[in-house]
Each structure stands twice: as C-alpha cells, then as structure tokens.
Amino acid sequence: MEAHLTEWLNLIIRWIHMIVGIAWIGASFYFVWLENHLDRRNPREGLSGDLWAIHGGGIYHLEKYKLAPEKMPEKLHWFKWEAYSTWLSGVALLTVVYYLNPSLYLIAPGSGLTPGVAITLGIGSLIVGWFVYDVLCDSPLGERPALLGLVLFLLLVAAAYALNQVFSGRGAYIHVGAIIGTLMVGNVLRIIMPAQRALVRAIEQNTAPDPSLPAKGLMRSRHNNYFTLPVLFIMISNHFPSTYGSRYNWLILAGIALFAVLVRHYFNTRHQSNRFAWALPAAALGMLCLAFVSGPSTRSEAPGKAPAITYAPVPATGLPGKPIERQQPAETAAEPAPSAPATASFAAVEKVLHERCTVCHSATPSSPLFSVAPLGFVLDTPQQMQQQAAKIKAQSVDSVIMPLGNITQMTQAERDLIGAWIAAGAKIE
C-alpha cells in the first residue's frame, strides 16, 4: 500500500507541475510574441506600440506603454504565481522521486556516494547555480548578452558533466533541469517582480521611474525564454534512455540544448527578418547527427565512473523514503571480463531475467517499491520476454540504466548473455 500511495503522490505532483508549467511557459511565449508583433508605427502619445488580434470569436486591442500610464489602473494582473507554483511543484517532485530513495534513481551504481551526501550535492547544485548566475548577470558580462549567454551555456555543460560523475544519467539530467528552473524562478522572484513593484510604486508616488530596473528585468525575462526549451526536453528525457543512458550523455544534453536555443532564437527574431531561418534545418540536422553518434556503442558506463563489477546477488528490498542497502562488491580476480558467448540458451537468459528484472517488472512485483510493473513492462512469461527483447536490449545491454540503481546487481556477464541471446534472434525454444 505504501508503494501504491507513493505512486499516486508522484502522479498528483507531476500533474500539478505540468499544469502550472504550461501556464508559466505559455505566458512567457505569449508575451515574447506580443512584444515582437507590436505595431510601432506612429503610436499614440505615451505608447511604444499596440496590437489588434482575434481569438476565440473575439477581437482584442492591446497597448504597451513606453514606461507606464500616468495613473495606475485599479486592477493590474501580475504574472508570478505560475512561476512559483512550477518551481515548488518541481522541487516536490524531485523530492518524491529522487530524494526519498536516492539509491534507486539518483546515485550512480559504483559511485560510492551515501544517500545524505547525494541529496546534499543535489540541493547544493541548485543554490550554487543561482548565485553564480546572479553574479555573472550583474558583472560587466551583463552588458554583453551574447558573451554572457555563451559563458552560461558552457557552465551548464560543465555542471552536466560534473553531476554525471556521481549521479545516474537520469539524476544528472534532472538536476541540470532543476538548476535551470531555479535560475528562472530566481529571475522572477529576485529581479523581475522587484523591478515591476518599483515601477508601480514610482507611478503611485508620482515620481520618475528608474528605467534601469525594467531593463534588467527584461534581460532576465529573455534568459527565461531561452531556458524554456532545454528544460522541456529534460522534463521528458527520462523516457529516452538513448540520451541519458549514453556514455556521452552530457554532450548529448549540450547538443540538444544548443539546438533548442537556436529554434527559440528563430521564433524570437522571425518578425524582424528571416536571417535566422537556417536555424530550423540546422537543428533538425543536428538531431539526426546526435541520433547517429549516440548509437548503442556509446551507451555504457560514463567516463570517470567505475567499470562494471560483479556483485553478490541481493533481494530488491527497501521502502520509499528509506535508502536501499547495497552490498559491497564481491572480490573479483584481476582478469578480463568474460566476452559474450557466441550463443546463449534461453533457459539461462530466462533465469537472469527472473532474478534481476521481474522483481519489479511482473504482474505481481515482489519489490515493495512498486505496486504494479513500471510502465506496464511485464516479463513473467517467455513470450513477454521475447516481445520486449528490443526494450530489454536498449535499457540493460546497450546501456546500464536497468535495473534501476542496479538494485538486483545484474553483472556485465549477464548483460552480455542477454545481448547474445537477442543478437541470435531472441528465440525461446
């Protein structure tokens, strides 16, 4: 029952995170579109432009002031709770999925991290990320947007690489996304909202507003706009093990983020001209190249991580909220790992899958971590094993992301055995 309740808690928080995230991202995209499509020809006194639009059967007329009207309206809508709710629900989701049981999803097998240290590193990365970003934006780099953007991009790539040395691929990816999300909500809380409050206060007190504050808020708002697409990719990346499960997952993340920024830049500037139209085909070609270079040969232990080692078999015990106790690696001789057999009997493969996989992937999981098989992926019968051979290969042979956290201690020799069986046609006779 505890696993069932945890799953529903995960579902509820994830759903809330998605709903409020759509509201935040939608508002961001809309206001960038609005800014880019204002008619700035001969605007009325005090205005920088206006826009006529039709939607949902109605016609709208929107006006933007150069700074502010002479008198503030009685009702003024503030866009802030969308951002705060997205970040708060995201942190709650990070806690439920990764911090309640860090040995399962967060810690890379063989990294040697304790749950407490892993959680501290995760939370610390969010805090350090914000302060480094804020200092850079307020430095002379802030006056050179392109150079600042390049520096921020390189620092985030460095963070992805560093986190990948101690966290699982999924854990590293989600923490890069959490760092970016923290920068975005920090911009709203610490920069954009104070600038807007100062503007409203100056108008109410009939004093001249400081134009530097809205300008600073606009710069941070643009950063948020460019951050959005990389964060969206990270939110869905856990469905695609060929990205986070690759040996070069941090480079794949960097490439996809770069292509996402290019696409966003095209849509942000297409109202001016089509000089960035090349960004769309370039991003598409880049994604195809990433798909090619991230083939199965690159999906293995990441650089710097301990090589695959043999563990003594352990039952998949542990409850949500309690770290799974890992056995120490068994002593192994300093001899090369056995190569994959030329042929593999299904009886041997079936035994491995039952011992290492059906603890979770069964119609009746024996692991207390799951009340039903994750993603409905069931391996109880030979026919199910044969039908799911391609997915087994992608997640347990081409990469080492399954079993999760290697809680059942699948060995490299067992992965090679499964790979040889699948390569021979996955026969179950």
Side-chain angles (χ1 to χ4, degrees):
M1 179 57 69
E2 187 172 352
H4 179 73
L5 294 177
T6 300
E7 182 175 339
W8 272 88
L9 181 62
N10 185 335
L11 166 63
I12 292 169
I13 297 174
R14 193 178 297 269
W15 197 2
I16 293 172
H17 186 56
M18 182 182 70
I19 292 170
V20 294
I22 289 173
W24 185 15
I25 293 168
S28 172
F29 281 12
Y30 173 70
F31 277 101
V32 170
W33 179 91
L34 179 61
E35 177 69 24
N36 291 341
H37 289 79
L38 288 174
D39 185 355
R40 304 179 190 275
R41 298 170 298 176
N42 301 319
R44 190 163 56 83
E45 180 68 26
L47 297 182
S48 61
D50 66 346
L51 172 76
W52 290 86
I54 184 170
H55 182 76
I59 297 176
Y60 298 80
H61 184 207
L62 299 98
E63 298 178 325
K64 181 184 178 182
Y65 287 83
K66 289 180 179 179
L67 195 57
E70 295 181 1
K71 181 180 179 181
M72 291 301 299
E74 182 178 346
K75 292 184 178 180
L76 182 66
H77 183 78
W78 296 73
F79 289 85
K80 57 181 179 179
W81 291 111
E82 299 88 344
Y84 301 156
S85 300
T86 300
W87 188 82
L88 290 171
S89 59
V91 169
L93 191 61
L94 184 69
T95 301
V96 169
V97 177
Y98 291 91
Y99 293 164
L100 287 185
N101 204 332
S103 298
L104 188 63
Y105 288 109
L106 181 60
I107 301 174
S111 70
L113 284 185
T114 63
V117 171
I119 294 171
T120 300
L121 286 175
I123 297 174
S125 68
L126 310 187
I127 298 172
V128 172
W130 163 254
F131 281 106
V132 170
Y133 167 77
D134 192 46
V135 168
L136 288 175
C137 288
D138 288 339
S139 74
L141 272 178
E143 299 175 2
R144 305 179 66 181
L147 182 58
L148 174 61
L150 176 61
V151 171
L152 292 175
F153 175 76
L154 294 177
L155 287 175
L156 287 170
V157 172
Y161 175 81
L163 291 170
N164 188 57
Q165 306 310 300
V166 291
F167 291 164
S168 67
R170 285 180 63 174
Y173 267 37
I174 205 66
H175 275 83
V176 174
I179 291 172
I180 298 175
T182 300
L183 305 186
M184 294 172 70
V185 78
N187 283 337
V188 174
L189 177 66
R190 300 284 298 167
I191 307 298
I192 298 172
M193 292 306 300
Q196 292 177 346
R197 291 192 190 99
L199 175 63
V200 171
R201 186 166 54 251
I203 295 170
E204 291 175 342
Q205 296 174 355
N206 198 26
T207 59
D210 181 359
S212 66
L213 295 179
K216 188 176 180 180
L218 179 60
M219 180 188 75
R220 300 295 186 99
S221 181
R222 285 175 177 166
H223 287 179
N224 283 4
N225 182 262
Y226 282 100
F227 283 146
T228 300
L229 294 187
V231 169
L232 285 176
F233 161 72
I234 292 173
M235 287 174 66
I236 65 171
S237 65
N238 60 1
H239 296 287
F240 303 98
S242 60
T243 59
Y244 67 83
S246 168
R247 172 184 297 231
Y248 304 107
N249 52 13
W250 61 280
L251 282 175
I252 293 173
L253 178 58
I256 291 177
L258 178 60
F259 304 145
V261 168
L262 283 176
V263 169
R264 190 67 240 159
H265 189 63
Y266 165 72
F267 283 103
N268 285 344
T269 59
R270 64 175 180 166
H271 66 288
Q272 298 172 343
S273 69
N274 283 319
R275 62 194 182 103
F276 290 105
W278 56 268
L280 295 183
L285 180 61
M287 292 293 285
L288 292 176
C289 291
L290 278 180
F292 177 77
V293 301
S294 62
S297 62
T298 66
R299 283 179 241 152
S300 58
E301 289 290 343
K305 291 185 180 177
I309 50 180
T310 301
Y311 286 79
V314 297
T317 58
L319 292 171
K322 300 179 182 179
I324 297 173
E325 296 295 332
R326 295 176 181 270
Q327 287 191 353
Q328 294 298 318
E331 292 294 330
T332 57
E335 56 189 52
S339 58
T343 58
S345 70
F346 174 67
V349 171
E350 184 179 27
K351 182 175 183 294
V352 171
L353 293 177
H354 276 306
E355 289 181 354
R356 309 302 191 194
C357 304
T358 57
V359 170
C360 302
H361 292 286
S362 170
T364 54
S366 60
S367 169
L369 296 169
F370 299 99
S371 58
V372 296
L375 302 178
F377 191 84
V378 176
L379 299 174
D380 287 329
T381 68
Q383 291 74 23
Q384 290 169 337
M385 295 175 184
Q386 184 182 53
Q387 291 169 356
Q388 302 287 4
K391 291 184 178 179
I392 294 171
K393 181 176 184 293
Q395 304 210 22
S396 296
V397 180
D398 294 342
S399 69
V400 293
I401 62 173
M402 287 291 171
L404 282 171
N406 206 19
I407 59 173
T408 57
Q409 310 299 352
M410 180 181 284
T411 67
Q412 186 59 47
E414 290 169 339
R415 297 179 194 276
D416 293 340
L417 178 72
I418 296 171
W421 169 67
I422 295 173
K427 299 176 182 178
I428 59 175
E429 290 85 356

